Every structure is written in structure tokens, then in C-alpha cells.
Amino acid sequence: LPLAFVSALFRSDPVRLERATALCAVFLLGWSPIFWSLGRGILTGGSENQSDKDEKNEKNNSNEINIASRVLQTVKQLVTSPPITGCLAGLAIG
């Protein structure tokens, strides 16, 4: 939809139309992953129950936390979302 607005606004100036289309595409490429990762987390409030969180906190307090594995797990959860995978594929192809 944003590309339709850009096309309608800059139809008479092809140079500005090309630039506006490119800027709109870059915006959408960044917006979609942010929306589907952060927005989903905010709307769902997390998928764990409070009792599950308490159990995990007890385990984490007794064991040493491996930060690298937690970061890798978080990135894996973010990238496995279909819209984010699509954006990354489009970025790689285009």
C-alpha cells in the first residue's frame, strides 16, 4: 500500500518516483521484522506461564548462565518467523 501512495504522489517525476520507491522499500524491509518480532512479543506478553518462569529462574540461579547460547536461542526464535524469513530471503535475493 505505501508503494501505491508513492506511485500516485510522484507519477509525474520519474527521478523522484524511483528514489521514493527505493526508500519506501528499505523502510518496509526494516519495519516488517521489527513489527513481527517486537510487536508480537508485546501483544502476546510472552508465551510462558508465571510458574514456568519461576522454575527457570530457580534453575538459572543454581546453574551458570551461558550467555552465548541464550543469544543464539533468541536470534533463532526471531528468524524462524515466516515474515522475517521472507524479508531475509528478499534481502539476499534482491
Side-chain angles (χ1 to χ4, degrees), residues 7 18-19 41 47 51 62 74 76 81 83-84:
S7 177
E18 184 178 327
R19 180 162 169 79
S47 60
S51 61
S62 64
T74 303
K76 188 177 178 182
S81 171
I84 295 175

Side-chain angles (χ1 to χ4, degrees), residues 53-63:
K53 289 180 183 178
D54 292 339
E55 288 177 14
K56 283 187 177 183
N57 285 337
E58 289 176 10
K59 289 179 183 177
N60 286 341
N61 289 337
S62 64
N63 296 332

Side-chain angles (χ1 to χ4, degrees), residues 60 65-80:
N60 286 341
I65 299 173
N66 189 354
I67 296 174
S69 67
R70 289 187 67 184
V71 168
L72 184 61
Q73 182 182 12
T74 303
V75 169
K76 188 177 178 182
Q77 287 175 349
L78 291 175
V79 173
T80 56

